Each structure stands twice: as structure tokens, then as C-alpha cells.
């Protein structure tokens, strides 16, 4: 990446000039009041239009229960005032766990998840009053090829290489995938018992449910045709809807940026083809999914697509495009989903790179009805009270924002507790030093 393409804006006007110069479709609005609006979802009121995205902290206890740093992180998010807090990937069963530091919900640690929900709600109410009740979603996941057992649905050279999978690795059977559906149902019942508002059937970043959407070369009832490739996700949603009284939400890869026949939402040249994603999004809404949270590609191959950055920290290729073009792509994908649905809420992503100017783009996107809510991931790690700053001060403090250095992702990639080494240095720099010493 050329130095001139990195974030160097000294004012909002400079950012607007860059957007105009590149002819980018990135809206700007100073009407930040729109982000403060409440949203009605069923019988729940979401206090504002700001959300914390799911980002794995790699700090769970051995049994999968929230560790001390997990509780600290979510308590800080709750104190930060976001209307929606989307919990990071929680394994639905031991087999789908990414590592021994990933959250895992099960009957014998259920009380710890109940406590986490109570801690978040109490912290928010203590600061913002009894009427402030953040909407809490839990992201259930099966890590697939990136999990402890490297479960794959098909072979793909680049994806296999990224996960260290050999060519003779056996693929999961249809029977095993049926069991995954039941495991997610069981875990969803536990999420409900724990007191959360929603369960996310995670279908992004090429983990199991996301990879299933691209299983063109797979045989059996979970591969080949569109109906087969979407079966795992839709079957699981149906089972949860029929058996658990809880909102169902989905964080969805709108496309993979991997060429057909190994990608989702792409043609044989790797160009974006959103005909199948559009069909799925319409079906998800018909199935009763309440919220779709947008993302794309995979952090294991092209991380700059789902999180535009100035520095990859050695985790991925340096892109030919500028980060601001990556921001525009995610905004366009958000707009595409919003124009596809009628009732479903849509959460936009990709704003953290914009730093202190992110609220103005967020307001512009909501003002144009391209999204109902705006989510922040890396920014939330660096600046957990970002929502409070926007709501109370109509601004973000540039000394607190994420600088897109990718060190939080670097920590996770090395199986260390993940957080902001710049803004939360006392806690997370020691984990970084452990990696460097090796």
C-alpha cells in the first residue's frame, strides 16, 4: 500500500475531498442525532442505532466459559452505551471450537453466560437508567476448517493452505452436518436460558456455515445446487424458530471474493455476482430472521475486504486498492442488502478505518436508509465508549479511535487474548511481547 493511501486526514473536509476525487459513493452527514434514535424490534426497543460487532477475544476459560478479560471487555462495551451488543463467536459444540480459548456454551457452564448477560444489563442500567436495556445477541459458530478438527466440506487449494489442511483430509459427511444442525438447536436453547435476546447463526468469513454456501463441488444433500448449499443454514434456522422463543439473526457473507466454483457470490473470474446472495437474503427474511449483519470475504485470505486497514501486521496481502475503496465496497454491500429486504433490520460495517470521522459517514448511511444500524468492531475494542461519545458529545476523540494497525487480529491469530495494544496497552501489550519473544 502506498503511504499516501493511508489515513492522513486532518479534517472532515479533507476526507470529503478524497471521496470526491475518487468518485466514491460514501455519504457524509453531520446529522448525528439520527444515530441516537431508538429502534423498535418486535416487543423490544433498541436504545440507539449503534452496535458493537462480534470480535473474538481468545480469552475464555478452558471449559468455554467467559474468562476475566471476557467479562471485563463486555462490561466495558455495556458501559459504552451501544444499543446493541453482538457477542463474539461462541462454539455450539466442542467439535466446532476454534481453539481452547474460544467461548463454548454448554449445560454445565450455562450459569457463567447467565452472569455475563446480567453484568452487561446491570452495567448499562447503572449508567444510563432503568429504561436503558441493550439488545444482546450471541453469535453461535462452528469454525469448520479453522477449528480444532479442521472440518471441511470440500477441498479448495487456497483455503486448504490457509488452514494447513492436507489433500487427503476427509470431508464431513451429511450425517455429521445433520448433527451440527441439532447442536445449534441445543445451543440456541441455552442462549435463550441465559437471558439473551437473539441467537446468530453465523454464516460468514468461510467458517462452516459460510463455506457451505460455496460447496458447489460437494456431493450429497449439502452441496452442488443452490438449495443444497443453503440447506445447512436454512434447516438450522427453521429448527431454532420452531423450538426456541428467541430472535434469530445472521451475520452473513454477502460475497467471498473467491472465484466460482469455490466461492459464494462470485463468477468464474472472481467478479461479484450477487444473484444467489439476493435470493438467500430474501429467503432469510421470509424465514423470520430479524437482523442481517453485513460482512464479506475471509480474514484468512483477504482480510482487507472485511476490515480495511493501513497495516496488515503480516496477516494478509497488501491490497492494490486504497482502504477507503474497501470502506465504499462494504457500504455498497450494506445498501444492496437494505434494498433487498423489507422488514429485516440491517447492520452496516467497515467504518472503523474512518476513525474520528466515522460517525459522519454512519449518519449519512442511515440517513439514506442504506442501513438501520451501524456496527463497530475494532473501534469498539479501542474505544469501548464510542457510542457514549457520539451520543453525548456529537463526536469521537481522535486520541481514542482505532488506528487500523491489525494488532488485535495479530493477537488472535497467535491464540493470545485479543484487544487494543494501542489504547489498552497495559492489558494487551504483554500478550504481544509473549509472541515477539518466541
Amino acid at each position: 500500500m502506498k503511504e499516501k493511501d493511508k489515513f492522513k486526514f486532518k479534517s472532515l473536509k479533507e476526507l470529503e475531498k478524497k471521496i470526491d476525487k475518487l468518485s466514491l459513493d460514501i455519504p457524509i452527514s453531520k446529522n448525528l442525532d439520527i444515530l441516537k434514535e431508538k429502534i423498535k424490534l418486535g416487543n423490544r426497543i433498541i436504545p440507539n442505532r449503534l452496535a458493537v460487532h462480534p470480535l473474538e477475544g481468545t480469552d475464555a476459560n478452558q471449559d468455554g466459559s467467559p474468562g476475566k478479560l471476557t467479562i471485563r471487555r463486555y462490561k466495558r462495551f455495556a458501559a459504552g452505551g451501544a444499543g446493541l451488543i453482538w457477542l463474539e463467536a461462541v462454539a455450539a459444540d466442542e467439535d466446532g471450537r476454534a481453539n481452547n480459548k474460544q467461548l463454548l456454551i454448554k449445560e454445565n457452564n450455562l450459569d457463567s453466560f447467565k452472569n455475563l448477560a446480567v453484568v452487561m444489563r446491570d452495567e448499562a442500567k447503572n449508567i444510563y437508567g432503568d429504561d436503558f436495556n441493550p439488545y444482546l445477541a450471541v453469535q453461535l459458530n462452528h469454525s469448520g476448517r479453522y477449528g480444532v478438527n479442521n472440518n471441511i466440506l470440500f477441498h479448495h487449494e487456497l483455503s486448504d493452505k490457509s488452514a494447513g489442511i492436507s489433500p487427503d483430509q476427509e470431508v464431513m459427511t451429511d450425517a455429521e452436518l445433520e448433527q451440527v444442525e441439532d447442536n445449534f438447536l441445543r445451543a440456541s436453547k441455552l442462549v435463550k436460558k441465559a437471558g439473551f435476546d437473539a441467537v446468530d447463526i453465523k454464516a460468514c468469513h468461510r467458517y462452516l456455515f459460510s463455506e457451505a454456501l460455496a460447496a458447489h463441488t460437494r456431493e450429497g444433500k449439502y452441496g452442488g445446487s443452490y438449495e443444497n448449499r443453503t440447506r445447512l443454514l436454512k434447516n438450522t434456522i427453521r429448527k431454532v424458530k420452531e423450538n426456541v422463543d428467541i430472535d434469530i439473526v445472521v451475520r452473513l457473507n454477502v460475497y467471498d471474493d473467491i472465484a466460482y466454483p469455490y466461492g459464494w457470490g462470485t463468477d468464474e473470474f472472481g467478479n461479484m455476482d450477487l444473484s444467489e446472495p439476493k435470493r438467500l437474503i430474501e429467503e432469510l427474511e421470509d424465514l423470520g430472521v430479524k437482523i442481517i449483519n453485513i460482512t464479506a470475504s475471509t480474514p484468512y485470505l483477504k482480510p482487507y475486504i472485511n476490515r480495511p486497514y493501513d497495516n496488515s501486521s503480516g496477516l494478509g496481502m497488501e491490497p492494490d486498492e486504497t482502504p477507503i475503496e474497501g470502506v465504499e465496497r462494504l457500504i455498497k454491500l450494506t445498501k444492496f442488502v437494505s434494498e433487498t429486504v423489507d422488514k429485516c433490520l440491517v447492520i452496516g460495517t467497515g467504518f472503523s478505518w474512518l476513525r474520528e470521522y466515522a460517525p459522519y459517514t454512519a449518519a449519512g448511511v442511515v440517513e439514506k436508509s442504506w442501513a438501520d444500524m451501524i456496527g463497530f468492531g475494532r473501534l469498539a475494542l479501542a474505544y469501548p465508549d464510542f457510542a457514549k461519545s457520539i451520543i453525548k458529545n456529537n463526536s469521537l476523540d481522535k486520541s481514542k479511535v482505532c488506528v487500523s494497525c491489525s494488532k488485535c487480529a495479530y493477537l488472535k491469530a497467535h491464540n493470545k487474548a485479543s484487544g487494543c495494544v494501542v489504547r489498552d496497552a497495559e492489558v494487551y501489550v504483554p500478550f504481544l511481547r509473549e509472541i515477539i519473544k518466541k
Side-chain angles (χ1 to χ4, degrees), residues 10-23:
K10 304 297 185 188
S11 67
L12 180 61
K13 183 169 286 188
E14 283 189 15
L15 173 62
E16 290 178 298
K17 285 182 179 178
K18 183 72 169 181
I19 291 170
D20 288 342
K21 182 179 180 181
L22 296 177
S23 299

Side-chain angles (χ1 to χ4, degrees), residues 177-198:
L177 291 174
E178 287 178 9
Q179 184 60 56
V180 168
E181 295 174 6
D182 293 336
N183 291 343
F184 269 66
L185 172 57
R186 182 181 65 244
S188 297
K189 291 177 179 178
L190 296 178
V191 170
K192 171 66 177 180
K193 286 182 181 179
F196 291 89
D197 297 295

